[in-house]
Amino acid sequence: MSSRELVILGTASQVPTRTRNHNGYVLRWDGLTILFDPGEGTQRQLLLAGVSAASVDRICLTHLHGDHSLGLPGVLARRAVDDAPGPAVLHFPAASLRDVRVLRHAGAPAGPVPAVEVPVESDGVQARGLAGGSEWVLTAAALDHRIPAVGYRVEEPDGVTFRPERLVALGISGPDVGRLAETGEIAIGNRVVLLDEVTQPRRGQSVAVVMDTRVCAGAVEIARDVDVLLCESTYLDVDADLAAAYGHLTARQAAEIAVAAGARLLALTHFSRRYGDDVEQFAVEARRAVRAAGADLEVVAVRDLDRLALPARRA
């Protein structure tokens, strides 16, 4: 199993279908587990996907429409039943604090299940930490929906990686490699070797989650140069007027955002039931937009319980 992957729990827009559950997306990032938009049925979908509710460290709500949030009480309660090691951290638009607290009380007559509320007050960094020895950063940006909504991004900072052939050529091995990484230089014989001489830049990996929104600058910026953009594509282009009216994207618009942002992989989700069960038609429309733009972008239409490993690091 990949140590960094997206697990797709549900892909339906507004109402579930026979083949699509309400929204739910898990990002497994080394030792960190983040749950995005737990709609109804998320607790069961976690079970089917083999993801323990107790393992969820953070829950990020893009907005408080029911198909993105009504599974929150069940997930929080399940974490308590399963003796999770600590309270989950909740991120959500600050303007929706009252709605979040209603959900925290739902089904909990003895009082809300413990959770740490970290409302998104403004764009930018919301949290950071270490997982599996690597730093991660969670950022958010405001989107354009009918109610307050934000997009999220999880990334690791850019770093460096050692060039083995240079280490060998300069006679650096064993504990000396660690000392060089820590101090930035090391004396070998009668010369000082600098870290830059034996390393090359390493791009940090990144994932963005953009749910219900119209086309807006925030959607492009949160997805800038990401390895994976998980993006809503509620409508096809033939219904672009409905997308604008209800604050959503078409598959073509999702592709245009991904192209403008320079994303590597576009994963389409949040499909309207008006088009039936064939989600590949969304990918076909998005790929057509990608070709028209002359961009190098992979497009997939995800299905419930799919797993997407992050692409290999960029050279």
Side-chain angles (χ1 to χ4, degrees):
M1 180 181 297
S2 171
S3 61
R4 293 184 180 178
E5 65 174 356
L6 270 169
V7 183
I8 310 301
L9 302 179
T11 59
S13 169
Q14 190 177 51
V15 296
T17 71
R18 290 180 180 272
T19 60
R20 296 196 290 271
N21 196 74
H22 268 155
N23 289 274
Y25 313 94
V26 170
L27 176 61
R28 305 182 90 161
W29 185 280
D30 301 332
L32 176 70
T33 300
I34 303 177
L35 172 62
F36 295 91
D37 283 3
E40 280 184 84
T42 291
Q43 187 179 168
R44 182 171 182 273
Q45 295 298 98
L46 286 169
L47 180 65
L48 294 175
V51 178
S52 164
S55 73
V56 173
D57 302 295
R58 293 177 183 263
I59 300 175
C60 294
L61 303 174
T62 63
H63 65 294
L64 270 292
H65 276 153
D67 56 332
H68 296 257
S69 65
L70 288 180
L72 178 63
V75 172
L76 291 178
R78 182 59 183 267
R79 294 183 79 261
V81 168
D82 290 349
D83 294 322
V89 179
L90 304 182
H91 299 275
F92 52 88
S96 299
L97 175 60
R98 180 178 178 181
D99 295 326
V100 169
R101 289 186 172 169
V102 167
L103 290 174
R104 285 189 59 203
H105 279 81
V113 176
V116 178
E117 296 172 350
V118 184
V120 177
E121 303 279 359
S122 60
D123 291 2
V125 174
Q126 308 298 315
R128 64 174 74 241
L130 291 174
S134 298
E135 184 180 359
W136 57 266
V137 179
L138 173 70
T139 58
L143 301 179
D144 179 15
H145 193 39
R146 290 173 291 154
I147 64 173
V150 297
Y152 294 99
R153 176 189 182 106
V154 179
E155 64 185 332
E156 64 178 345
D158 293 342
V160 297
T161 184
F162 281 101
R163 298 169 56 190
E165 74 282 1
R166 291 293 297 156
L167 293 173
V168 171
L170 293 169
I172 304 172
S173 62
D176 285 344
V177 177
R179 283 192 285 271
L180 176 57
E182 182 177 353
T183 64
E185 62 181 41
I186 192 170
I188 299 294
N190 59 359
R191 66 163 293 190
V192 173
V193 177
L194 302 179
L195 185 63
D196 288 348
E197 296 180 65
V198 293
T199 60
Q200 59 189 13
R202 184 201 67 186
R203 289 284 296 274
Q205 290 185 308
S206 53
V207 174
V209 176
V210 172
M211 289 295 123
D212 299 15
T213 185
R214 299 176 180 91
V215 175
C216 63
V220 175
E221 286 309 309
I222 205 70
R224 182 71 64 191
D225 294 326
V226 292
D227 293 291
V228 179
L229 168 58
L230 178 67
C231 190
E232 72 118 315
S233 57
T234 309
Y235 295 100
L236 294 175
D237 196 50
V238 67
D239 293 314
D241 56 336
L242 291 178
Y246 290 104
H248 285 291
L249 298 173
T250 67
R252 177 181 64 81
Q253 290 170 332
E256 290 170 349
I257 288 172
V259 169
R264 297 177 66 193
L265 170 63
L266 170 62
L268 300 172
T269 186
H270 199 270
F271 309 114
S272 171
R273 61 175 171 166
R274 70 192 293 118
Y275 308 106
D277 290 334
D278 178 18
V279 300
E280 187 59 23
Q281 60 190 311
F282 293 87
V284 169
E285 178 173 291
R287 291 180 190 126
R288 190 180 303 124
V290 171
R291 288 196 298 272
D296 181 16
L297 170 67
E298 183 181 355
V299 177
V300 296
V302 297
R303 293 171 170 80
D304 288 27
L305 303 182
D306 277 356
R307 307 181 95 95
L308 293 181
L310 269 64
R313 294 184 183 280
R314 301 184 213 220

PDB file of all heavy atoms in Angstrom, residues 152-173:
ATOM      1  N   TYR A 152      -8.618  23.151  -0.029  1.00  0.00           N
ATOM      2  CA  TYR A 152      -7.486  22.787   0.822  1.00  0.00           C
ATOM      3  C   TYR A 152      -6.322  22.249  -0.014  1.00  0.00           C
ATOM      4  O   TYR A 152      -6.521  21.711  -1.108  1.00  0.00           O
ATOM      5  CB  TYR A 152      -7.889  21.721   1.838  1.00  0.00           C
ATOM      6  CG  TYR A 152      -8.893  22.178   2.865  1.00  0.00           C
ATOM      7  CD1 TYR A 152     -10.251  21.884   2.722  1.00  0.00           C
ATOM      8  CD2 TYR A 152      -8.481  22.895   3.990  1.00  0.00           C
ATOM      9  CE1 TYR A 152     -11.177  22.302   3.670  1.00  0.00           C
ATOM     10  CE2 TYR A 152      -9.403  23.315   4.939  1.00  0.00           C
ATOM     11  CZ  TYR A 152     -10.748  23.013   4.782  1.00  0.00           C
ATOM     12  OH  TYR A 152     -11.658  23.428   5.714  1.00  0.00           O
ATOM     13  N   ARG A 153      -5.144  22.375   0.558  1.00  0.00           N
ATOM     14  CA  ARG A 153      -3.935  21.860  -0.080  1.00  0.00           C
ATOM     15  C   ARG A 153      -3.043  21.264   1.008  1.00  0.00           C
ATOM     16  O   ARG A 153      -2.832  21.890   2.061  1.00  0.00           O
ATOM     17  CB  ARG A 153      -3.201  22.992  -0.795  1.00  0.00           C
ATOM     18  CG  ARG A 153      -1.863  22.612  -1.440  1.00  0.00           C
ATOM     19  CD  ARG A 153      -1.153  23.869  -1.908  1.00  0.00           C
ATOM     20  NE  ARG A 153       0.111  23.592  -2.587  1.00  0.00           N
ATOM     21  CZ  ARG A 153       0.292  23.697  -3.897  1.00  0.00           C
ATOM     22  NH1 ARG A 153      -0.701  24.082  -4.671  1.00  0.00           N
ATOM     23  NH2 ARG A 153       1.471  23.437  -4.434  1.00  0.00           N
ATOM     24  N   VAL A 154      -2.525  20.079   0.763  1.00  0.00           N
ATOM     25  CA  VAL A 154      -1.552  19.446   1.648  1.00  0.00           C
ATOM     26  C   VAL A 154      -0.269  19.271   0.843  1.00  0.00           C
ATOM     27  O   VAL A 154      -0.300  18.740  -0.277  1.00  0.00           O
ATOM     28  CB  VAL A 154      -2.046  18.075   2.158  1.00  0.00           C
ATOM     29  CG1 VAL A 154      -0.990  17.440   3.068  1.00  0.00           C
ATOM     30  CG2 VAL A 154      -3.368  18.230   2.902  1.00  0.00           C
ATOM     31  N   GLU A 155       0.834  19.713   1.407  1.00  0.00           N
ATOM     32  CA  GLU A 155       2.100  19.624   0.675  1.00  0.00           C
ATOM     33  C   GLU A 155       3.258  19.477   1.640  1.00  0.00           C
ATOM     34  O   GLU A 155       3.138  19.756   2.836  1.00  0.00           O
ATOM     35  CB  GLU A 155       2.300  20.862  -0.192  1.00  0.00           C
ATOM     36  CG  GLU A 155       2.438  22.149   0.604  1.00  0.00           C
ATOM     37  CD  GLU A 155       2.509  23.376  -0.284  1.00  0.00           C
ATOM     38  OE1 GLU A 155       2.971  23.252  -1.428  1.00  0.00           O
ATOM     39  OE2 GLU A 155       2.088  24.463   0.175  1.00  0.00           O
ATOM     40  N   GLU A 156       4.358  19.007   1.095  1.00  0.00           N
ATOM     41  CA  GLU A 156       5.615  19.026   1.827  1.00  0.00           C
ATOM     42  C   GLU A 156       6.498  20.080   1.185  1.00  0.00           C
ATOM     43  O   GLU A 156       6.463  20.269  -0.044  1.00  0.00           O
ATOM     44  CB  GLU A 156       6.298  17.658   1.800  1.00  0.00           C
ATOM     45  CG  GLU A 156       6.722  17.193   0.428  1.00  0.00           C
ATOM     46  CD  GLU A 156       7.443  15.853   0.460  1.00  0.00           C
ATOM     47  OE1 GLU A 156       7.857  15.430   1.543  1.00  0.00           O
ATOM     48  OE2 GLU A 156       7.577  15.241  -0.618  1.00  0.00           O
ATOM     49  N   PRO A 157       7.291  20.800   1.968  1.00  0.00           N
ATOM     50  CA  PRO A 157       8.173  21.815   1.396  1.00  0.00           C
ATOM     51  C   PRO A 157       9.190  21.184   0.449  1.00  0.00           C
ATOM     52  O   PRO A 157       9.545  20.009   0.573  1.00  0.00           O
ATOM     53  CB  PRO A 157       8.864  22.420   2.619  1.00  0.00           C
ATOM     54  CG  PRO A 157       7.970  22.087   3.773  1.00  0.00           C
ATOM     55  CD  PRO A 157       7.351  20.765   3.434  1.00  0.00           C
ATOM     56  N   ASP A 158       9.631  21.972  -0.519  1.00  0.00           N
ATOM     57  CA  ASP A 158      10.710  21.513  -1.386  1.00  0.00           C
ATOM     58  C   ASP A 158      11.951  21.240  -0.542  1.00  0.00           C
ATOM     59  O   ASP A 158      12.174  21.877   0.497  1.00  0.00           O
ATOM     60  CB  ASP A 158      11.042  22.570  -2.440  1.00  0.00           C
ATOM     61  CG  ASP A 158       9.910  22.765  -3.440  1.00  0.00           C
ATOM     62  OD1 ASP A 158       9.044  21.872  -3.536  1.00  0.00           O
ATOM     63  OD2 ASP A 158       9.896  23.813  -4.110  1.00  0.00           O
ATOM     64  N   GLY A 159      12.752  20.294  -0.981  1.00  0.00           N
ATOM     65  CA  GLY A 159      13.972  19.958  -0.248  1.00  0.00           C
ATOM     66  C   GLY A 159      15.074  19.573  -1.205  1.00  0.00           C
ATOM     67  O   GLY A 159      15.104  20.012  -2.357  1.00  0.00           O
ATOM     68  N   VAL A 160      15.979  18.757  -0.730  1.00  0.00           N
ATOM     69  CA  VAL A 160      17.080  18.275  -1.566  1.00  0.00           C
ATOM     70  C   VAL A 160      17.217  16.778  -1.381  1.00  0.00           C
ATOM     71  O   VAL A 160      16.765  16.213  -0.385  1.00  0.00           O
ATOM     72  CB  VAL A 160      18.419  18.963  -1.208  1.00  0.00           C
ATOM     73  CG1 VAL A 160      18.349  20.454  -1.472  1.00  0.00           C
ATOM     74  CG2 VAL A 160      18.798  18.688   0.245  1.00  0.00           C
ATOM     75  N   THR A 161      17.835  16.129  -2.353  1.00  0.00           N
ATOM     76  CA  THR A 161      18.141  14.714  -2.254  1.00  0.00           C
ATOM     77  C   THR A 161      19.606  14.513  -2.624  1.00  0.00           C
ATOM     78  O   THR A 161      20.160  15.229  -3.473  1.00  0.00           O
ATOM     79  CB  THR A 161      17.227  13.898  -3.185  1.00  0.00           C
ATOM     80  OG1 THR A 161      17.491  12.504  -3.000  1.00  0.00           O
ATOM     81  CG2 THR A 161      17.458  14.244  -4.648  1.00  0.00           C
ATOM     82  N   PHE A 162      20.242  13.564  -1.949  1.00  0.00           N
ATOM     83  CA  PHE A 162      21.664  13.330  -2.198  1.00  0.00           C
ATOM     84  C   PHE A 162      21.896  12.678  -3.555  1.00  0.00           C
ATOM     85  O   PHE A 162      21.072  11.886  -4.036  1.00  0.00           O
ATOM     86  CB  PHE A 162      22.256  12.447  -1.105  1.00  0.00           C
ATOM     87  CG  PHE A 162      22.560  13.189   0.169  1.00  0.00           C
ATOM     88  CD1 PHE A 162      21.712  13.111   1.269  1.00  0.00           C
ATOM     89  CD2 PHE A 162      23.701  13.980   0.257  1.00  0.00           C
ATOM     90  CE1 PHE A 162      21.997  13.802   2.437  1.00  0.00           C
ATOM     91  CE2 PHE A 162      23.996  14.679   1.427  1.00  0.00           C
ATOM     92  CZ  PHE A 162      23.139  14.592   2.516  1.00  0.00           C
ATOM     93  N   ARG A 163      23.031  13.023  -4.159  1.00  0.00           N
ATOM     94  CA  ARG A 163      23.479  12.397  -5.413  1.00  0.00           C
ATOM     95  C   ARG A 163      24.520  11.340  -5.034  1.00  0.00           C
ATOM     96  O   ARG A 163      25.664  11.682  -4.695  1.00  0.00           O
ATOM     97  CB  ARG A 163      24.070  13.446  -6.338  1.00  0.00           C
ATOM     98  CG  ARG A 163      23.079  14.521  -6.751  1.00  0.00           C
ATOM     99  CD  ARG A 163      23.770  15.682  -7.444  1.00  0.00           C
ATOM    100  NE  ARG A 163      24.539  15.244  -8.601  1.00  0.00           N
ATOM    101  CZ  ARG A 163      25.388  16.013  -9.274  1.00  0.00           C
ATOM    102  NH1 ARG A 163      25.617  17.255  -8.852  1.00  0.00           N
ATOM    103  NH2 ARG A 163      26.040  15.546 -10.317  1.00  0.00           N
ATOM    104  N   PRO A 164      24.161  10.057  -5.069  1.00  0.00           N
ATOM    105  CA  PRO A 164      25.079   8.999  -4.602  1.00  0.00           C
ATOM    106  C   PRO A 164      26.435   9.024  -5.282  1.00  0.00           C
ATOM    107  O   PRO A 164      27.467   8.781  -4.638  1.00  0.00           O
ATOM    108  CB  PRO A 164      24.313   7.715  -4.920  1.00  0.00           C
ATOM    109  CG  PRO A 164      22.879   8.128  -4.935  1.00  0.00           C
ATOM    110  CD  PRO A 164      22.865   9.515  -5.496  1.00  0.00           C
ATOM    111  N   GLU A 165      26.450   9.331  -6.582  1.00  0.00           N
ATOM    112  CA  GLU A 165      27.724   9.305  -7.295  1.00  0.00           C
ATOM    113  C   GLU A 165      28.670  10.389  -6.788  1.00  0.00           C
ATOM    114  O   GLU A 165      29.902  10.213  -6.755  1.00  0.00           O
ATOM    115  CB  GLU A 165      27.492   9.444  -8.809  1.00  0.00           C
ATOM    116  CG  GLU A 165      27.111  10.828  -9.315  1.00  0.00           C
ATOM    117  CD  GLU A 165      25.649  11.204  -9.073  1.00  0.00           C
ATOM    118  OE1 GLU A 165      24.907  10.386  -8.487  1.00  0.00           O
ATOM    119  OE2 GLU A 165      25.256  12.316  -9.479  1.00  0.00           O
ATOM    120  N   ARG A 166      28.119  11.522  -6.367  1.00  0.00           N
ATOM    121  CA  ARG A 166      28.958  12.589  -5.828  1.00  0.00           C
ATOM    122  C   ARG A 166      29.481  12.227  -4.441  1.00  0.00           C
ATOM    123  O   ARG A 166      30.633  12.522  -4.097  1.00  0.00           O
ATOM    124  CB  ARG A 166      28.158  13.903  -5.755  1.00  0.00           C
ATOM    125  CG  ARG A 166      27.814  14.497  -7.109  1.00  0.00           C
ATOM    126  CD  ARG A 166      29.072  14.955  -7.822  1.00  0.00           C
ATOM    127  NE  ARG A 166      29.740  16.027  -7.093  1.00  0.00           N
ATOM    128  CZ  ARG A 166      31.027  16.316  -7.190  1.00  0.00           C
ATOM    129  NH1 ARG A 166      31.817  15.570  -7.963  1.00  0.00           N
ATOM    130  NH2 ARG A 166      31.556  17.316  -6.500  1.00  0.00           N
ATOM    131  N   LEU A 167      28.644  11.567  -3.626  1.00  0.00           N
ATOM    132  CA  LEU A 167      29.103  11.123  -2.310  1.00  0.00           C
ATOM    133  C   LEU A 167      30.273  10.151  -2.449  1.00  0.00           C
ATOM    134  O   LEU A 167      31.280  10.255  -1.734  1.00  0.00           O
ATOM    135  CB  LEU A 167      27.956  10.463  -1.549  1.00  0.00           C
ATOM    136  CG  LEU A 167      26.797  11.371  -1.122  1.00  0.00           C
ATOM    137  CD1 LEU A 167      25.665  10.532  -0.532  1.00  0.00           C
ATOM    138  CD2 LEU A 167      27.267  12.410  -0.098  1.00  0.00           C
ATOM    139  N   VAL A 168      30.134   9.210  -3.375  1.00  0.00           N
ATOM    140  CA  VAL A 168      31.194   8.219  -3.595  1.00  0.00           C
ATOM    141  C   VAL A 168      32.472   8.906  -4.073  1.00  0.00           C
ATOM    142  O   VAL A 168      33.587   8.624  -3.592  1.00  0.00           O
ATOM    143  CB  VAL A 168      30.732   7.152  -4.605  1.00  0.00           C
ATOM    144  CG1 VAL A 168      31.916   6.250  -5.001  1.00  0.00           C
ATOM    145  CG2 VAL A 168      29.604   6.311  -4.016  1.00  0.00           C
ATOM    146  N   ALA A 169      32.323   9.826  -5.032  1.00  0.00           N
ATOM    147  CA  ALA A 169      33.493  10.495  -5.603  1.00  0.00           C
ATOM    148  C   ALA A 169      34.267  11.295  -4.561  1.00  0.00           C
ATOM    149  O   ALA A 169      35.503  11.403  -4.639  1.00  0.00           O
ATOM    150  CB  ALA A 169      33.059  11.413  -6.751  1.00  0.00           C
ATOM    151  N   LEU A 170      33.569  11.813  -3.567  1.00  0.00           N
ATOM    152  CA  LEU A 170      34.215  12.635  -2.547  1.00  0.00           C
ATOM    153  C   LEU A 170      34.537  11.847  -1.282  1.00  0.00           C
ATOM    154  O   LEU A 170      35.027  12.410  -0.302  1.00  0.00           O
ATOM    155  CB  LEU A 170      33.337  13.835  -2.211  1.00  0.00           C
ATOM    156  CG  LEU A 170      33.180  14.859  -3.345  1.00  0.00           C
ATOM    157  CD1 LEU A 170      32.087  15.865  -3.027  1.00  0.00           C
ATOM    158  CD2 LEU A 170      34.506  15.576  -3.590  1.00  0.00           C
ATOM    159  N   GLY A 171      34.224  10.551  -1.277  1.00  0.00           N
ATOM    160  CA  GLY A 171      34.566   9.704  -0.149  1.00  0.00           C
ATOM    161  C   GLY A 171      33.713   9.942   1.083  1.00  0.00           C
ATOM    162  O   GLY A 171      34.202   9.815   2.213  1.00  0.00           O
ATOM    163  N   ILE A 172      32.449  10.289   0.887  1.00  0.00           N
ATOM    164  CA  ILE A 172      31.553  10.546   2.014  1.00  0.00           C
ATOM    165  C   ILE A 172      30.602   9.368   2.162  1.00  0.00           C
ATOM    166  O   ILE A 172      29.909   8.985   1.213  1.00  0.00           O
ATOM    167  CB  ILE A 172      30.743  11.840   1.789  1.00  0.00           C
ATOM    168  CG1 ILE A 172      31.688  13.018   1.548  1.00  0.00           C
ATOM    169  CG2 ILE A 172      29.815  12.118   2.968  1.00  0.00           C
ATOM    170  CD1 ILE A 172      30.985  14.288   1.126  1.00  0.00           C
ATOM    171  N   SER A 173      30.536   8.792   3.342  1.00  0.00           N
ATOM    172  CA  SER A 173      29.670   7.639   3.564  1.00  0.00           C
ATOM    173  C   SER A 173      29.310   7.542   5.040  1.00  0.00           C
ATOM    174  O   SER A 173      29.863   8.263   5.888  1.00  0.00           O
ATOM    175  CB  SER A 173      30.351   6.347   3.106  1.00  0.00           C
ATOM    176  OG  SER A 173      31.540   6.114   3.858  1.00  0.00           O
TER     177      SER A 173
END
